[in-house]
Amino acid sequence: MVFAVTQFAILILVARLGTPQDVGALTLASAIVTPLFFLTSMGMRDAHSVDDLVSYSRADYVALRLAGGSFALLATAAIALGLYGQDGFLVYGSAIALALVKFSGAQMALNHGMFQRAERLDFTAISNAMRGGMGLAAFGLVFWYTRALPLALLCEALAWVASYVLVDRPLLGRIGARTSWAELSRAQARTVLRLAYWILPLGLSGWCLRAALAAPPLILERHAGLAAVGLFGVLAYGHSAMLMVANSLGGAVAPRLRKYYRNGRRAPFLRTVGLMSLVCGGFGAGMVAVAWLAGDPLLELVFGVDYRRGDLLTIVIFASALSVTSAPLVAAMNAGQAFRKRLLVTASGLAAAAVVSVLLIPSYGIAGAAWSMVALTATHATLYAALFVFVLRAMPPPLPKDAPDASEGR
C-alpha cells in the first residue's frame, strides 16, 4: 500500500506540475512498456514462490530474469521509436526511461518472490517502501526543477537501482537467498530455457492482462488525443493501485496455499481462499462506495478541476473491485500450478476488452474506455470462479500423518 501511494504521488506531481499531455505521455509509455515486462518477467515471482525447486534452482530464475528484462528493454526502444519517433521526444523518451524503471522493478519482483517463499513479508514490505520512497524523491525533485518527464523517470530508475543494492541484497543475505555471480555463471542455458517454457503461460497471461489494460488508452489516443489519454490515465490509476494491493495479498498467501495444496489439505486451503475472498471483496466494495459518494471532490482536490469525472471513476473502480475480489482465486490457481488455465482466462479477457474498446471508444470516448475495463474484469472473475473448481478437483489426496512434507528444493 505504501508503494501504491508513492506511485500515486508521482501521478499527482505530473498532473499538478505538468500538462495533460505529460500525463498522457506517461499513460502511453506505460501502455507500451508494462505488457512487455509482464511477458518477459513470466510471472517469475509467483512461480518461484510456489515452486518446490526440485527441477530448477534460484540461479536459473535469476538468469532468466536478467535475460528477459534485457530483451524487454530493447523491444521497448524499437516499438517506441517506431510508433512515436515522429511525434517528438516526450512519448518515446518517456517510454525508454520507464522501461529502465521497469527493468529494475523486474529484478526486485523476483526478490519479493524469494521473501514470500521464506514467509518474510516484512522484508517485502521494507523493499517496497524503500524503493517507492527513494523513487518518489528522485522523480519529484527532478520533475519539480526541470518539468522534463523522461529525465525524471530516468532518475527514478537510478533510485530503484540504489534501493536494490542498499536494501534488497542485504535482506536476501539474511534469508540465505543471495545469488552470487559464480552461481549465476553455472546456470545452464538448456535448464533456463526449460524453465522459461514451463512458466511461459504465466508470462503470456501477464501480457494478455496488461495488453487488455493498454488497449483502451492506445485506441483512445487515436480518436481523442493525448489530453484525453491523460484524463483516462488518472482515472485508471485507481485500478492499478487496487491491483497492487490485491496482488500483494495474493502473493502473501500463495506459498502457504501451495503447502496446503501439495499436501492435500483441502479444508485449510478452502478456508484460506474463502477468508481472503471476503477481505478482498469488502475492500473492493468500500472503494466503490468512496468513488460513488465522493469521486468528484476527491479528483478535484487531488488533480485539479480538469479531472473532475467522478462518474467515470465509479465505473473504473467497479471494474477494479471485480478484479480484487477474484485475486484469491488467482493465488489458488498458482498454488495448484495451473498456469495454462490462467492463460485461458487472461486471453479471454483481452478479447473482451479489445472488442468493447473498438466498439465503444470511437463513439463514447473515455466512457467507452472505462466500460472496456468492466468487460475485462467481469470476464476474468467469471472464468476464475469456474476454473477454481477444476483446480480443487485436481488436488492430491492427503498425505499420511507420518509422511514427510515434499522437498523444499534448492
Side-chain angles (χ1 to χ4, degrees):
M1 292 179 72
V2 170
F3 179 72
V5 169
T6 62
Q7 302 309 290
F8 187 55
I10 286 176
L11 186 62
I12 294 172
L13 285 173
V14 176
R16 285 291 190 178
L17 301 178
T19 65
Q21 285 72 24
D22 286 323
V23 182
L26 182 60
T27 303
L28 278 182
S30 181
I32 295 169
V33 172
T34 306
L36 278 173
F37 273 89
F38 264 74
L39 174 62
T40 58
S41 293
M42 297 186 185
M44 274 181 272
R45 183 190 67 182
D46 293 339
H48 185 274
S49 67
V50 299
D51 188 358
D52 298 328
L53 293 185
V54 174
S55 300
Y56 309 105
S57 69
R58 186 173 59 248
D60 295 327
Y61 277 90
V62 175
L64 181 57
R65 174 187 66 181
L66 289 171
S70 300
F71 174 80
L73 275 176
L74 295 175
T76 294
I79 293 172
L81 288 170
L83 290 178
Y84 299 101
Q86 305 300 318
D87 296 339
F89 181 69
L90 178 61
V91 175
Y92 74 80
S94 298
I96 295 172
L98 183 61
L100 292 171
V101 176
K102 296 293 185 181
F103 179 85
S104 302
Q107 316 315 308
M108 300 175 83
L110 181 55
N111 296 343
H112 298 163
M114 298 176 189
F115 299 150
Q116 289 167 2
R117 181 181 180 80
E119 297 194 358
R120 290 307 303 262
L121 304 182
D122 52 336
F123 287 2
T124 304
I126 292 168
S127 174
N128 270 325
M130 290 302 296
R131 72 162 169 156
M134 293 172 67
L136 172 60
F139 181 95
L141 287 173
V142 174
F143 194 69
W144 179 283
Y145 284 110
T146 68
R147 301 298 195 272
L149 181 61
L151 180 60
L153 288 169
L154 177 61
C155 292
E156 182 186 9
L158 294 175
W160 281 26
V161 171
S163 178
Y164 178 90
V165 173
L166 299 175
V167 180
D168 276 36
R169 284 189 62 80
L171 293 177
L172 289 171
R174 290 177 61 180
I175 61 171
R178 185 184 295 175
T179 304
S180 66
W181 285 109
E183 291 177 283
L184 193 58
S185 65
R186 290 195 295 269
Q188 297 182 0
R190 180 178 299 179
T191 304
V192 173
L193 289 174
R194 193 166 66 246
L195 170 62
Y197 177 75
W198 181 55
I199 63 174
L200 180 60
L202 276 180
L204 293 173
S205 177
W207 180 85
C208 287
L209 173 61
R210 290 297 165 172
L213 295 174
L218 291 173
I219 296 173
L220 189 63
E221 192 269 338
R222 298 300 178 186
H223 290 279
L226 203 56
V229 174
L231 174 56
F232 177 75
V234 165
L235 299 174
Y237 183 77
H239 179 77
S240 298
M242 289 178 67
L243 280 183
M244 287 182 196
V245 176
N247 290 338
S248 295
L249 292 171
V253 77
R256 185 66 61 88
L257 286 177
R258 175 59 186 167
K259 291 179 182 178
Y260 291 154
Y261 192 90
R262 183 178 59 219
N263 297 330
R265 299 181 61 189
R266 183 182 296 262
F269 182 85
L270 286 172
R271 182 171 62 250
T272 304
V273 173
L275 289 174
M276 291 295 294
S277 297
L278 287 175
V279 170
C280 292
F283 171 68
M287 295 304 296
V288 171
V290 170
W292 182 45
L293 296 172
D296 280 335
L298 282 176
L299 287 171
E300 182 176 352
L301 175 66
V302 176
F303 296 105
V305 67
D306 293 337
Y307 298 92
R308 186 183 171 95
R309 290 301 305 268
D311 55 334
L312 298 179
L313 179 65
T314 304
I315 298 173
V316 170
I317 298 301
F318 173 70
S320 306
L322 293 176
S323 185
V324 168
T325 304
S326 63
L329 300 179
V330 179
M333 295 186 73
N334 286 339
Q337 297 182 347
F339 300 151
R340 284 173 173 76
K341 290 182 173 63
R342 277 194 62 181
L343 177 57
L344 170 65
V345 174
T346 54
S348 301
L350 172 59
V355 169
V356 174
S357 294
V358 170
L359 291 177
L360 296 185
I361 289 177
S363 299
Y364 299 99
I366 301 175
W371 280 109
S372 73
M373 295 181 65
V374 175
L376 167 67
T377 56
T379 302
H380 284 176
T382 302
L383 292 179
Y384 277 133
L387 291 176
F388 175 73
V389 177
F390 292 92
V391 172
L392 193 61
R393 288 178 177 174
M395 180 181 289
L399 288 176
K401 292 183 179 180
D402 57 346
D405 193 1
S407 171
E408 287 299 313
R410 292 172 284 172

